[in-house]
Amino acid sequence: MSDATRLLLENLNALAAGLFLLTAFGIVAMRQARACLHLFIAQSLLLAASAALLGMRFDSGHLYGVALVNLISKPIIVPWLLRKTSPAEIYTRREIDQALNIPTALLIALALAIGAYFLGIPLANAVGPEFRGPNVPIGIAGLLLGAFTLTVRREALSLLIGLLAMENGAFMAGISIARDLGMLVELAIATDGLIIVFIMGVLVRAVQKHVGTTAVGELASLREAAAKPAAEEVLL
Amino acid sequence: MSVIAILFPPLIAALLVCIPSRKGWASGVTVASSLVVLALATRMAWRIAEGGSFAGELGPGWDNWIAVDGLGALILLLIALVAATAAVYSVGYMAHGGLTPAKSKLYYANYNLFIFSMLAIPLLAEPTLVWIVVELTTLCSALLVSFENTREALEAAWKYVVLSLMGAGVALLGFLVLFAAMHAAGGGTYTWAGLVSAAPRMPPILLQTAFLLILIGLGTKVGLVPMHTWLPDAHSQAPSPVCALLSGIETTSILYVILRLFPVMQAVPAAHAQTWALVLGLISAGTAAFLLLQVSDYKRMFAFSTVEHMGIILTALGLGAAAADYGAMQQIVSHSVTKSFCFFAAGAVLLAVGTREIAAVRSLIRRSPFAGSALVFGGLAIAGAPPLAVFLSEFAILKAGLAQGHYVATGLLAAFIVIAFFGVMVHVNRMVFAPAENGAREADSPALPFSCRLVLIVAAVPVLVLGVYVPKPLHDLLAAAAAALTR
């Protein structure tokens, strides 16, 4: 492989990683549940692209496998499973009141991404001198932004997407530092993602049926009741 | 073969319960399979206790995927024990509410899959596969937590799934970093044992990052403060036998995964893994002890006590002495047997009075003498009264702490244990002995199902026996497990 091709692949990978980060921001900010799902699909495609490019760069068949698994499971099977298990209502929901307004959420997200950069660079350097690209810091940023999505969102679908985006982030870092993890493990992790979608879809359906909402984040009846007046109680 | 044979009964049972059949088929299959699992686990634990091993038994190459040592065998034995008692308890408890065939199928299929995923944790040797079965434990138990489909149960299940999976996402990055550290150390097989031997060559920063990511990520599922918020909800809203599984062994088997990192981390003393364990453990034990004082739901009370006990175990590991490690192992055993008993007792109380409110339950000893005495016994046992199992193990930990010269940590731990004792016993006393507020004699409660009574009696035996002496084979097993915690 010539130096020019190598450079081209590295640059393309950097482009995919940059767009990946952009979709992670989008998932934090997007109000429409369906738009969140579309962003997540775009994110998974970018992850697959990054894996394929790194696969070419390092001539690693295993990374092609990762790309293929991502290409099939997330853009195709996840939406299909969601349609099968959960009520159609979750797509049409819009979140009017988030825990934080969007500019504040984006500012915090930006701070998280910068933090991820400072965390990721020394990690990537410690693994070895060879090319790591921007995957580690951006993967960590994706993980943190997914977790942040979970804390500011209330709607079932956005929460589910937040969880899956966290996993995407971990993988984004993983494809550059843990390149030869083994196909069995990759397949198992992909299957696991699908089980997550299935179980959460079933739960959302139950919540909608028995409670009448899909804004699961607003369920908050379980907490420590304020200490009740104990005057009339007999202390033994 | 004998090693993985233990995984088959729950899988087969999960399939069998889906066959439409007479009433009692699903529960019968589940009880039978869990008894087989218990027998297999006992046999394996026995062999390990006698100094045997399972290395190479499955043929070349298998050791990279499946391995059982003292620690794994101990956790397997506990899972099998609680799974068996909870299965028998389920027979009467779940039938009490009048299960429809569809609900019964849902319950027992998930029950068996949940047991399967937990049994796989100590058996698997490859860390990323362990991560996957940890995820599976969450996913298989989610529908058990939401089983009653009330608003509260659904909320609890949702919180449980979201927070556990969020933690798992963080832990996944930790496991990938661990793999990268292995790679940077020049490769080797990615197993728990391989990690221990490669640890001295790993870049400390990678090892430290991986440890913290995994500690925080899986600590969420263990219920360590401040990631514990879901635990009291899920562990109180699920049906009581499921609570016994969640509190009694699920937390412990996830903690086991964190324990696996301790021998690895000893290669990097500068990473202060033990200090992290000590601090997180003390925070968990302390917070839970104070929260115990203000609970208003008796199942939540036992759930908070689980947070406290996880804190105690982690603190013991943080003390970093062989005696404390042994104490931690002993505490794992006594907590599992005692906490599952507590939830069986709580389930009996729930059947007798129909409410989870502490304030609504008075003079239980008159209304249902059996449930009342079980609750008192469970309360005393989990709070650590002598001569019961938890007392012995807590005493061992405190003794080891003092011998190590950790006076502040040991003092704090002792104080938290005492506060938690009062927290539990004040509530239990009021529920069982305080006279009813209006003074009128309340209606007698319905009789407890036979299987619940049977389990309450059988499950009390280890709580009592382990409080006075530790049998020789168990002692050997505990010693083997503690030995797995150091390089």
Side-chain angles (χ1 to χ4, degrees), chain A residues 192 211 216 221 224 233, chain B residues 135 151 155 300 362 430:
Chain A
D192 174 78
V211 188
V216 280
S221 51
E224 266 7 273
E233 295 193 22
Chain B
E135 287 258 280
R151 189 187 174 96
E155 180 191 336
R300 283 179 84 85
R362 289 294 179 263
R430 279 189 195 158

Side-chain angles (χ1 to χ4, degrees), chain B residues 122-303:
Chain B
L123 277 181
L124 288 171
E126 218 270 25
T128 30
L129 289 182
V130 172
W131 177 85
I132 287 160
V133 287
V134 166
E135 287 258 280
L136 281 182
T137 58
T138 310
L139 295 168
C140 296
S141 53
L143 297 182
L144 292 175
V145 173
S146 75
F147 186 75
E148 281 164 11
N149 274 336
T150 58
R151 189 187 174 96
E152 289 79 21
L154 286 166
E155 180 191 336
W158 186 266
K159 269 193 196 167
Y160 171 50
V161 173
V162 168
L163 281 166
S164 300
L165 295 185
M166 188 172 162
V170 175
L172 173 63
L173 183 62
F175 282 117
L176 292 175
V177 172
L178 206 55
F179 184 85
M182 192 89 190
H183 186 77
T189 50
Y190 189 40
T191 60
W192 296 125
L195 277 172
V196 174
S197 57
R201 301 190 303 277
M202 289 181 190
I205 176 178
L206 289 183
L207 205 48
Q208 197 174 358
T209 315
F211 176 74
L212 284 182
L213 287 172
I214 295 171
L215 181 66
I216 292 170
L218 294 184
T220 310
K221 210 160 176 242
V222 175
L224 300 178
V225 177
M227 295 87 77
H228 69 289
T229 50
W230 62 273
L231 191 144
D233 300 344
H235 289 201
S236 63
Q237 294 300 324
S240 300
V242 178
C243 295
L245 288 176
L246 291 172
S247 249
I249 44 171
E250 197 205 12
T251 45
T252 311
S253 50
I254 310 297
L255 187 65
Y256 152 88
V257 183
I258 299 177
L259 298 191
R260 279 289 181 206
L261 293 177
F262 277 83
V264 182
M265 294 306 290
Q266 278 163 9
V268 192
H272 298 296
Q274 285 177 335
T275 316
W276 279 100
L278 193 67
V279 170
L280 259 184
L282 280 175
I283 291 176
S284 301
T287 313
F290 283 104
L291 284 172
L292 265 174
L293 294 171
Q294 52 157 2
V295 287
S296 58
D297 170 328
Y298 54 87
K299 281 176 88 176
R300 283 179 84 85
M301 172 177 82
F302 288 129

Side-chain angles (χ1 to χ4, degrees), chain A residues 63-78:
Chain A
L63 282 180
Y64 288 126
V66 176
L68 192 67
V69 166
N70 267 295
L71 216 52
I72 295 171
S73 71
K74 284 162 189 167
I76 299 170
I77 307 184
V78 165

